[in-house]
Amino acid sequence: MSTNEIEHLITVLGRLPGLGPRSGRRIALALLRRRTTLLDPLRDALTAVSERVVECPLCGNLDTCTPCRLCTDERRDAGLLCVVRDVADLWALERGGEFRGRYFVLGGLLSALDGVRPEDLGFERLYARAAEETVREVILALPATVEGQTTAHVIADHLEALGRPVTSLAQGVPVGGELDYLDDGTLSAALRARRPV
Amino acid sequence: MSTNEIEHLITVLGRLPGLGPRSGRRIALALLRRRTTLLDPLRDALTAVSERVVECPLCGNLDTCTPCRLCTDERRDAGLLCVVRDVADLWALERGGEFRGRYFVLGGLLSALDGVRPEDLGFERLYARAAEETVREVILALPATVEGQTTAHVIADHLEALGRPVTSLAQGVPVGGELDYLDDGTLSAALRARRPV
C-alpha cells in the first residue's frame, strides 16, 4: 500500500500525545495533500525550535535566549517565586496573566509509585534559589493531586525551616462552576476556606 | 510566555486535522521534551516524504516511484479497476487485503453544494483508462453517501454506454453489526440484497 517513507511518518505521528495510527494516517494524508501550506511550514517550524529553543538554566522555561525572557524581564517582580510542575503549567499561568513574578520549573512531582525521589527533581537548586535575598515569597502552584500535594508539603516544610514565607494556590469552586456538579472534596475545601463577602 | 518559534509551531500543529490550540500545545511540549526520540524523527520523516513522495500519474496513489508500486506490480490483476474517492480510501481497501487489482483515485466526489462538476474530477482520464482493452471490470468503491452514490451513478451510466461491466460495493450489515443498532436504510438495503445461504 503506502511506501516505507509514508508508513514511517504515520508511525512517528502516531507516537505524539493524543494521536494513534488512525489520526496519524489522517494527518499524514493531509500533510501530503497540502505540502506548501501544511507540510513545509511544519517542517520549518520543527527545524526552528529544534535549533533555537533551549531550557533556561535559571527557571527551566523554554525560550530562544538564556536566561529566558521571563527571568530577565525587569518589569517582573523578582521577589515572587512561583514553583510549577512543568512548562505546560507555566504557560497556563502566563495565559492567565495574573502572575507577574519569576518561576521555577520542577520538571516533575515526587511519586512513590513511579519512584521519583527528591534528588531526581531540582529541589537543591530550588532551595538555593529560594534562599536568595531578593525572594520574599515562594508560591507553590502544584496540581491538587496526591503527588502534587506531597511535593508541595515536602518543599513547604524545608522552606519554612529556612524562614521563607510559603503560599499555595487557593482551593475552591472554579469560576463558572455549578455546585451540583462539583466533587465533595472541592466543595468541602471551599467551605473550609470560606471568606467574608 | 512562549517564544515566537514555539507559538508558531503550536499554530501549525493546531491546523492539522483533528487538532486545535490545546492539543497543539501538548504536542509541541512533548516534541520539545523528547527531541531525539520525537522531534528529530518527525522532522526527518517530513523531509523524506516531502522530497520523495509523488502522485502516481496513472492511478493517483502516493508513492516514491512513478508509476506507483500498485500500478507496476505484475502479480496484481490489471483487468480489475477499482475507483476510489481518495488515497485514504485506497489505503483502507489495501489494509483489507481482499482486492488485488488496480486503482483509480478520483480525488473527490461530485457535489452540487460544493460546486464540484465532472470536469473538476478526473472523469475523462478514468473513461480513457476504463476503455483500455485489459480492463474487464470497473468496481466503484465510493462512499454510500449522497455525493458518493451520485458520482457512482454518473460514472456507471457512462461506462455502461461504453459496454464496460461496472460493479459496486455490496451494501448490508457490517461484520459484527447488531441489527438493533443499525439504521433503517442499511437494514432495508441488506434485506433487499438478501442471498441464499
Side-chain angles (χ1 to χ4, degrees):
Chain A
M1 63 173 269
S2 52
T3 65
N4 285 338
E5 281 83 358
I6 302 179
E7 268 172 18
H8 180 64
L9 174 63
I10 292 170
T11 309
V12 176
L13 285 169
R15 285 209 297 262
L16 297 175
L19 302 185
R22 186 177 283 267
S23 42
R25 272 199 299 274
R26 194 164 156 224
I27 291 176
L29 269 177
L31 288 166
L32 283 165
R33 229 178 260 140
R34 297 166 54 194
R35 297 201 185 191
T36 49
T37 56
L38 219 51
L39 197 157
D40 295 343
L42 179 57
R43 191 197 46 203
D44 297 344
L46 288 171
T47 307
V49 298
S50 173
E51 284 170 0
R52 302 193 48 200
V53 173
V54 288
E55 197 179 285
C56 173
L58 293 181
C59 73
N61 186 22
L62 296 164
D63 205 334
T64 46
C65 45
T66 46
C68 77
R69 267 163 255 197
L70 299 181
C71 283
T72 51
D73 188 345
E74 289 298 327
R75 292 163 305 176
R76 300 185 76 104
D77 186 351
L80 293 174
L81 185 64
C82 182
V83 180
V84 291
R85 177 182 51 183
D86 53 25
V87 177
D89 290 355
L90 187 158
W91 289 359
L93 279 161
E94 282 299 294
R95 281 200 300 281
E98 176 72 24
F99 182 69
R100 299 292 296 161
R102 302 280 163 86
Y103 287 98
F104 188 91
V105 178
L106 278 182
L109 297 173
L110 295 178
S111 167
L113 268 178
D114 299 332
V116 182
R117 298 156 305 170
E119 49 267 40
D120 299 324
L121 303 172
F123 279 19
E124 288 309 315
R125 277 177 49 231
L126 169 61
Y127 296 152
R129 179 84 189 274
E132 287 172 16
E133 284 204 359
T134 45
V135 176
R136 298 189 313 277
E137 179 184 342
V138 177
I139 302 166
L140 300 176
L142 296 173
T145 59
V146 173
E147 277 92 1
Q149 294 311 297
T150 308
T151 311
H153 200 74
V154 170
I155 296 174
D157 270 0
H158 195 279
L159 291 183
E160 272 162 4
L162 286 177
R164 288 285 145 181
V166 183
T167 57
S168 74
L169 294 185
Q171 284 199 312
V173 184
V175 175
E178 296 270 11
L179 297 197
D180 194 19
Y181 289 93
L182 224 55
D183 65 294
D184 302 346
T186 304
L187 206 50
S188 306
L191 197 59
R192 279 196 303 274
R194 65 191 178 277
R195 303 179 307 178
V197 180
Chain B
M1 62 173 267
S2 52
T3 65
N4 286 337
E5 281 82 358
I6 302 179
E7 267 171 17
H8 180 63
L9 175 62
I10 293 170
T11 309
V12 176
L13 286 169
R15 285 208 298 261
L16 296 176
L19 301 185
R22 185 177 284 268
S23 41
R25 271 198 299 272
R26 195 165 155 224
I27 291 175
L29 269 176
L31 288 166
L32 283 164
R33 229 178 262 141
R34 297 165 55 193
R35 297 201 186 192
T36 49
T37 57
L38 219 52
L39 197 158
D40 295 342
L42 179 57
R43 191 197 48 202
D44 296 344
L46 288 171
T47 308
V49 299
S50 172
E51 284 170 0
R52 302 193 47 199
V53 173
V54 288
E55 198 179 285
C56 174
L58 293 181
C59 73
N61 187 21
L62 296 164
D63 205 333
T64 46
C65 46
T66 48
C68 77
R69 266 163 256 198
L70 300 182
C71 284
T72 51
D73 187 345
E74 289 298 328
R75 292 163 303 176
R76 299 185 75 103
D77 186 352
L80 293 173
L81 185 65
C82 182
V83 181
V84 291
R85 176 182 51 183
D86 52 27
V87 177
D89 290 355
L90 186 158
W91 288 359
L93 279 161
E94 282 299 294
R95 281 200 300 279
E98 176 73 24
F99 181 68
R100 299 292 296 162
R102 303 279 163 88
Y103 287 98
F104 188 91
V105 177
L106 277 182
L109 297 173
L110 295 178
S111 166
L113 269 177
D114 299 334
V116 182
R117 298 156 305 171
E119 50 266 41
D120 299 324
L121 304 172
F123 278 20
E124 288 309 316
R125 276 177 49 232
L126 169 61
Y127 297 152
R129 179 84 189 272
E132 288 172 14
E133 283 203 0
T134 46
V135 177
R136 297 189 313 276
E137 180 184 343
V138 178
I139 301 166
L140 301 176
L142 297 172
T145 58
V146 172
E147 278 92 0
Q149 294 310 297
T150 308
T151 310
H153 200 74
V154 170
I155 296 173
D157 270 0
H158 195 279
L159 291 182
E160 272 162 4
L162 286 178
R164 287 286 145 181
V166 183
T167 57
S168 75
L169 294 184
Q171 285 198 311
V173 183
V175 173
E178 296 270 12
L179 297 197
D180 195 19
Y181 289 94
L182 223 54
D183 66 294
D184 302 345
T186 305
L187 206 50
S188 306
L191 198 60
R192 278 196 304 272
R194 65 189 178 279
R195 302 180 306 178
V197 181

